[in-house]
């Protein structure tokens, strides 16, 4: 699984505004009510250095670790999908034992910071641009990872292809300034980000849009990417 290590992108820490920005309203099918409910208020967050997967975890990578492939749309280099948050935790547990490296899911704040391009951010609506052609969405299946344009940090598919699990419990944002937030201490649902191949509304693929899912549920189009904390 050396490829997973080789494909990690170093993200230099920094400070950014997390949550729905005024520019998001230009996204097609923008849902102001949903943004006001879940992605507000905008708040300042400081993030430490970390590394994140250049690509979503693929089906062939999942199979090496888990010995199965739950995905609906088969393809070795397509992202693994139909995996629950709990499934992902088991994958990470086995992967870490196999490699001796401590992979994990990104926090929601790390995910958004990376999707926005970190300290190289150009303020795009989607991860990598303001035009929806950066994302696999409104299609009938997943696609090979890394075939759309990457964002400012060289990371692919943070908008579209599959929705990505984060480590956090889902909860309302706080307005206070925060450093390396990890979300609520408890909850019933986990955070998902980025939208997926089947989304009819490109709005769901913006870098600020957030939603939640039961951690036991392996939804259509649910996948993930990995993170390594800075040493």
């Amino acid at each position: 699984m050396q490829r997973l290590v080789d494909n990690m992108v170093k993200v230099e820490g920094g400070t950014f505004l997390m949550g729905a920005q005024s520019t998001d309203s230009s996204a097609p099918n923008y849902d102001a009510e949903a943004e006001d409910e879940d992605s507000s208020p905008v708040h300042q967050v400081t993030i430490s250095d970390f590394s994140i997967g250049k690509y979503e975890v693929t089906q062939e990578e999942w199979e090496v670790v888990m010995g199965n492939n739950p995905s609906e749309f088969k393809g070795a280099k397509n992202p693994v999908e139909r995996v629950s948050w709990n499934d992902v935790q088991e994958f990470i547990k086995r992967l870490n034992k196999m490699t001796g490296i401590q992979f994990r899911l990104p926090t929601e704040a790390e995910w958004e910071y990376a999707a926005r391009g970190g300290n190289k951010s150009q303020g795009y609506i989607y991860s990598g641009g303001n035009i929806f052609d950066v994302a696999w969405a409104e299609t009938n299946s997943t696609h090979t990872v890394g075939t759309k344009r990457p964002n400012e940090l060289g990371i692919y598919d943070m908008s579209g292809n599959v929705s990505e699990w984060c480590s956090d419990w889902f909860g309302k944002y706080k307005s206070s300034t925060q450093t390396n937030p990890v979300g609520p201490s408890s909850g019933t649902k986990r955070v998902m980000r980025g939208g997926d191949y089947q989304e009819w509304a490109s709005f769901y693929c913006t870098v600020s849009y957030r939603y939640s899912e039961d951690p036991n549920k392996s939804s259509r189009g649910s996948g993930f990417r990995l993170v390594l904390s800075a040493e």
Side-chain angles (χ1 to χ4, degrees), residues 56 108 111-112 115 125-127 132 134-138 156-166 191-199 201-212 221-223 225:
E56 294 159 329
E108 182 178 17
W111 190 97
E112 184 169 325
I125 298 171
Y126 308 109
S127 187
F132 198 43
V134 299
W136 287 118
E138 300 178 7
Y156 293 84
D157 299 311
M158 294 197 81
S159 289
N161 219 358
V162 292
S163 298
E164 299 180 17
W165 289 108
C166 294
V191 173
M192 298 203 80
R193 287 300 204 105
D196 62 51
Y197 71 91
Q198 64 185 331
E199 299 295 4
S202 54
F203 163 67
Y204 296 140
C205 295
T206 63
V207 292
S208 63
Y209 188 77
R210 61 197 296 257
Y211 41 111
S212 62
S222 59
R225 74 180 68 226

Side-chain angles (χ1 to χ4, degrees), residues 59 69-74 81-82 140 142 197 220-221:
Q59 294 174 31
N69 184 359
S71 305
E72 178 176 2
F73 302 105
K74 297 295 193 288
E81 27 107 7
R82 283 194 176 276
N140 60 3
T142 62
Y197 71 91
R220 208 172 178 217

Side-chain angles (χ1 to χ4, degrees), residues 29-213:
N29 300 305
Y30 180 77
D31 187 338
E33 183 177 352
E35 286 290 68
D36 289 343
E37 177 68 22
D38 292 329
S39 301
S40 297
V42 175
H43 52 290
Q44 182 174 291
V45 174
T46 298
I47 295 292
S48 299
D49 294 355
F50 64 99
S51 294
I52 192 168
K54 182 184 294 187
Y55 311 110
E56 294 159 329
V57 172
T58 65
Q59 294 174 31
E60 62 183 353
E61 291 164 343
W62 181 274
E63 285 192 77
V64 168
V65 176
M66 301 296 286
N68 60 52
N69 184 359
S71 305
E72 178 176 2
F73 302 105
K74 297 295 193 288
K77 296 191 182 302
N78 284 27
V80 67
E81 27 107 7
R82 283 194 176 276
V83 291
S84 71
W85 190 91
N86 289 332
D87 292 336
V88 173
Q89 297 309 303
E90 180 62 27
F91 171 88
I92 292 173
K93 178 181 176 181
R94 295 188 190 186
L95 176 65
N96 290 353
K97 184 176 181 180
M98 181 183 296
T99 62
I101 299 171
Q102 293 302 301
F103 292 100
R104 59 178 175 83
L105 283 175
T107 66
E108 182 178 17
E110 289 171 334
W111 190 97
E112 184 169 325
Y113 181 65
R116 289 185 178 280
N119 60 19
K120 297 181 180 179
S121 177
Q122 297 297 306
Y124 295 134
I125 298 171
Y126 308 109
S127 187
N130 288 325
I131 301 175
F132 198 43
D133 63 2
V134 299
W136 287 118
E138 300 178 7
T139 68
N140 60 3
S141 70
T142 62
H143 294 75
T144 301
V145 299
T147 51
K148 287 286 189 176
R149 187 168 68 249
N151 75 355
E152 300 93 318
L153 295 173
I155 306 170
Y156 293 84
D157 299 311
M158 294 197 81
S159 289
N161 219 358
V162 292
S163 298
E164 299 180 17
W165 289 108
C166 294
S167 60
D168 309 44
W169 289 110
F170 189 86
K172 290 188 177 297
Y173 282 160
K174 297 178 181 179
S175 59
S176 57
T177 298
Q178 300 168 57
T179 298
N180 296 323
V182 295
S185 58
S186 63
T188 58
K189 294 187 176 182
R190 297 285 182 175
V191 173
M192 298 203 80
R193 287 300 204 105
D196 62 51
Y197 71 91
Q198 64 185 331
E199 299 295 4
W200 66 270
S202 54
F203 163 67
Y204 296 140
C205 295
T206 63
V207 292
S208 63
Y209 188 77
R210 61 197 296 257
Y211 41 111
S212 62
E213 190 59 88

